[in-house]
Amino acid sequence: MDVNAAVAALAALAGVCTGVIAMLAFRWSERDQARPTRTSLHTDPVLPPGVDTVLSVLRSSAVVLDESDSVVKASSAAYALGLVRGGKLAIEPMLNMARDTRRDGEIRQVELDLPRRGTGRGEALAVSARVAPLGSRLVLLLVEDLTEARRIEAVRRDFVANVSHELKTPTGALSLLSEAVMDASDDPEAVTRFAGRMQIEATRLTNLVQELIDLSRVQNDDPLEDSEPVRVDELVAEAIDRSRHTASTKQITMASGGNPDLFVWGSRGQLAAALGNLVENAVNYSPARTRVGIAARKITAPGGDLIEIAVTDQGIGIPDKDKERIFERFYRVDPARSRATGGTGLGLAIVKHVAASHGGEVTVWSTEGQGSTFTLRLPEAGAVRDRSRPASPTPDLMTEPLPAPEVLP
């Protein structure tokens, strides 16, 4: 009995000791978890309440710096612009502004040109940076990308300057020619020659004003307001008829081909003007006794079927350095030749805008000395096409060759 009692007492004592040790370990663990560590000091939120939510909805790129210039918070746009790298603000002028603001509490703003990341060209990002104190220890940096705004402003300035120049040239010529006519009133032959030149300049001025009106109209009008199903073959025929006289004078053959059972949705007037400009350019920039072709077909695209209208010429071609700029207003690859053909430099700008407003695009392929192909792609009016499809099957342009083109003198 004494032995059993001793064993029981020892077991009870061991249980009490185990319980005490477990309780002490638990308490120690709780205290250790509550103690701030280096990691917890770094990850605990230090932004004032609500600031994180406000920064997430700002359009500007936002960066918050602490007293050691470490990034506490940065928006995805800040990373995209290359402002933050490796947890630090990578733009030295902005970092200096943040330090000055942290020191004296004054709000600072500056405009900078930053190198564009990922490009080997000398392009730069124009930004506006504003620094302000955020509480007692933090500094807030807001960066606004001004690149697109500056580009639009430059385009506007160039447009005004080009319009002024283009209008001044023919009006100045008309003034000089009228004086020449007055001085040569007793010379019928000179009067006839000067009058012919006046007609040319007056025509150029009329064309320029009309294209300015057309460009303004396609920019302001919504093509969806008067949209209708438009037959592609009618657009092609209208474009050919528009340049028939010039082509006949230069002995240029115009040929059309493709499936006639094609429709696009949009403003008939805008689409006719766009395709007419492409054909007119092809004729104007082609040598005599060459060929201009217009072909239409349907192509399959991920977002839906498209109608592709290609205008091909055998002209002088376009240098590679000019291909990206030919759709700019008033831009001319060869200004001297444009003056000779009466071009204003607005035709392709109108084409580009019409294509974009109709949900399509215009592209160019060209080789100097071999010619160019301008391709206009527009969404197909599928429902109208299905209703208009004849009972007999028509050739599929994707699997069968185009029919023989109709040659129009």
mmCIF file of all heavy atoms in Angstrom, residues 298-307 359 377-382:
data_model
loop_
_atom_site.group_PDB
_atom_site.id
_atom_site.type_symbol
_atom_site.label_atom_id
_atom_site.label_comp_id
_atom_site.label_asym_id
_atom_site.label_seq_id
_atom_site.Cartn_x
_atom_site.Cartn_y
_atom_site.Cartn_z
ATOM 1 N N LYS A 298 -13.758 39.104 -98.621
ATOM 2 C CA LYS A 298 -14.077 38.930 -97.205
ATOM 3 C C LYS A 298 -12.982 38.105 -96.549
ATOM 4 O O LYS A 298 -12.519 37.113 -97.107
ATOM 5 C CB LYS A 298 -15.420 38.227 -97.026
ATOM 6 C CG LYS A 298 -15.840 38.102 -95.565
ATOM 7 C CD LYS A 298 -17.139 37.337 -95.423
ATOM 8 C CE LYS A 298 -16.890 35.831 -95.525
ATOM 9 N NZ LYS A 298 -18.079 35.056 -95.124
ATOM 10 N N ILE A 299 -12.564 38.532 -95.352
ATOM 11 C CA ILE A 299 -11.559 37.786 -94.603
ATOM 12 C C ILE A 299 -12.114 37.461 -93.219
ATOM 13 O O ILE A 299 -12.983 38.157 -92.700
ATOM 14 C CB ILE A 299 -10.234 38.571 -94.472
ATOM 15 C CG1 ILE A 299 -10.448 39.877 -93.703
ATOM 16 C CG2 ILE A 299 -9.632 38.847 -95.842
ATOM 17 C CD1 ILE A 299 -9.157 40.627 -93.404
ATOM 18 N N THR A 300 -11.636 36.393 -92.652
ATOM 19 C CA THR A 300 -12.065 35.969 -91.320
ATOM 20 C C THR A 300 -11.130 36.559 -90.275
ATOM 21 O O THR A 300 -9.912 36.459 -90.396
ATOM 22 C CB THR A 300 -12.070 34.440 -91.218
ATOM 23 O OG1 THR A 300 -12.949 33.912 -92.226
ATOM 24 C CG2 THR A 300 -12.546 33.989 -89.849
ATOM 25 N N ALA A 301 -11.722 37.166 -89.260
ATOM 26 C CA ALA A 301 -10.950 37.776 -88.179
ATOM 27 C C ALA A 301 -11.523 37.326 -86.845
ATOM 28 O O ALA A 301 -12.691 36.924 -86.763
ATOM 29 C CB ALA A 301 -10.981 39.299 -88.295
ATOM 30 N N PRO A 302 -10.733 37.368 -85.765
ATOM 31 C CA PRO A 302 -11.217 36.909 -84.454
ATOM 32 C C PRO A 302 -12.475 37.634 -83.987
ATOM 33 O O PRO A 302 -13.351 37.039 -83.381
ATOM 34 C CB PRO A 302 -10.031 37.198 -83.524
ATOM 35 C CG PRO A 302 -8.825 37.191 -84.411
ATOM 36 C CD PRO A 302 -9.294 37.735 -85.723
ATOM 37 N N GLY A 303 -12.587 38.925 -84.260
ATOM 38 C CA GLY A 303 -13.745 39.683 -83.797
ATOM 39 C C GLY A 303 -14.914 39.675 -84.740
ATOM 40 O O GLY A 303 -15.923 40.329 -84.482
ATOM 41 N N GLY A 304 -14.829 38.951 -85.842
ATOM 42 C CA GLY A 304 -15.890 38.926 -86.845
ATOM 43 C C GLY A 304 -15.317 39.125 -88.229
ATOM 44 O O GLY A 304 -14.202 39.601 -88.404
ATOM 45 N N ASP A 305 -16.098 38.774 -89.233
ATOM 46 C CA ASP A 305 -15.636 38.879 -90.616
ATOM 47 C C ASP A 305 -15.442 40.342 -91.014
ATOM 48 O O ASP A 305 -16.180 41.230 -90.581
ATOM 49 C CB ASP A 305 -16.646 38.226 -91.558
ATOM 50 C CG ASP A 305 -16.685 36.713 -91.374
ATOM 51 O OD1 ASP A 305 -15.720 36.169 -90.796
ATOM 52 O OD2 ASP A 305 -17.677 36.088 -91.787
ATOM 53 N N LEU A 306 -14.420 40.569 -91.833
ATOM 54 C CA LEU A 306 -14.100 41.903 -92.325
ATOM 55 C C LEU A 306 -14.143 41.928 -93.842
ATOM 56 O O LEU A 306 -13.906 40.910 -94.501
ATOM 57 C CB LEU A 306 -12.707 42.336 -91.856
ATOM 58 C CG LEU A 306 -12.457 42.439 -90.352
ATOM 59 C CD1 LEU A 306 -10.992 42.774 -90.089
ATOM 60 C CD2 LEU A 306 -13.348 43.488 -89.718
ATOM 61 N N ILE A 307 -14.448 43.086 -94.365
ATOM 62 C CA ILE A 307 -14.367 43.329 -95.805
ATOM 63 C C ILE A 307 -13.069 44.074 -96.070
ATOM 64 O O ILE A 307 -12.812 45.123 -95.480
ATOM 65 C CB ILE A 307 -15.561 44.136 -96.318
ATOM 66 C CG1 ILE A 307 -16.863 43.405 -95.997
ATOM 67 C CG2 ILE A 307 -15.427 44.375 -97.820
ATOM 68 C CD1 ILE A 307 -16.956 42.017 -96.585
ATOM 69 N N GLY A 359 -14.851 51.474 -87.161
ATOM 70 C CA GLY A 359 -14.397 50.250 -86.520
ATOM 71 C C GLY A 359 -13.424 49.447 -87.347
ATOM 72 O O GLY A 359 -13.254 48.245 -87.120
ATOM 73 N N ARG A 377 -9.832 47.967 -94.319
ATOM 74 C CA ARG A 377 -10.569 46.851 -93.718
ATOM 75 C C ARG A 377 -11.708 47.406 -92.875
ATOM 76 O O ARG A 377 -11.495 48.226 -91.979
ATOM 77 C CB ARG A 377 -9.651 45.990 -92.860
ATOM 78 C CG ARG A 377 -8.556 45.296 -93.636
ATOM 79 C CD ARG A 377 -7.749 44.343 -92.757
ATOM 80 N NE ARG A 377 -6.655 43.731 -93.496
ATOM 81 C CZ ARG A 377 -5.436 44.235 -93.604
ATOM 82 N NH1 ARG A 377 -5.172 45.366 -92.963
ATOM 83 N NH2 ARG A 377 -4.514 43.633 -94.295
ATOM 84 N N LEU A 378 -12.935 46.909 -93.153
ATOM 85 C CA LEU A 378 -14.134 47.379 -92.472
ATOM 86 C C LEU A 378 -14.976 46.190 -92.044
ATOM 87 O O LEU A 378 -14.961 45.146 -92.702
ATOM 88 C CB LEU A 378 -14.958 48.289 -93.396
ATOM 89 C CG LEU A 378 -14.261 49.554 -93.909
ATOM 90 C CD1 LEU A 378 -15.051 50.162 -95.046
ATOM 91 C CD2 LEU A 378 -14.079 50.556 -92.781
ATOM 92 N N PRO A 379 -15.736 46.308 -90.937
ATOM 93 C CA PRO A 379 -16.608 45.206 -90.525
ATOM 94 C C PRO A 379 -17.665 44.911 -91.577
ATOM 95 O O PRO A 379 -18.230 45.822 -92.195
ATOM 96 C CB PRO A 379 -17.239 45.719 -89.225
ATOM 97 C CG PRO A 379 -16.325 46.793 -88.743
ATOM 98 C CD PRO A 379 -15.730 47.410 -89.958
ATOM 99 N N GLU A 380 -17.950 43.636 -91.768
ATOM 100 C CA GLU A 380 -18.949 43.230 -92.747
ATOM 101 C C GLU A 380 -20.349 43.390 -92.177
ATOM 102 O O GLU A 380 -20.589 43.129 -90.998
ATOM 103 C CB GLU A 380 -18.742 41.765 -93.134
ATOM 104 C CG GLU A 380 -19.742 41.277 -94.187
ATOM 105 C CD GLU A 380 -19.804 39.769 -94.266
ATOM 106 O OE1 GLU A 380 -19.449 39.117 -93.274
ATOM 107 O OE2 GLU A 380 -20.216 39.263 -95.314
ATOM 108 N N ALA A 381 -21.276 43.817 -93.034
ATOM 109 C CA ALA A 381 -22.696 43.850 -92.658
ATOM 110 C C ALA A 381 -23.258 42.461 -92.902
ATOM 111 O O ALA A 381 -23.881 42.186 -93.924
ATOM 112 C CB ALA A 381 -23.443 44.913 -93.464
ATOM 113 N N GLY A 382 -23.010 41.554 -91.977
ATOM 114 C CA GLY A 382 -23.312 40.139 -92.187
ATOM 115 C C GLY A 382 -24.769 39.847 -92.428
ATOM 116 O O GLY A 382 -25.143 39.088 -93.325
#
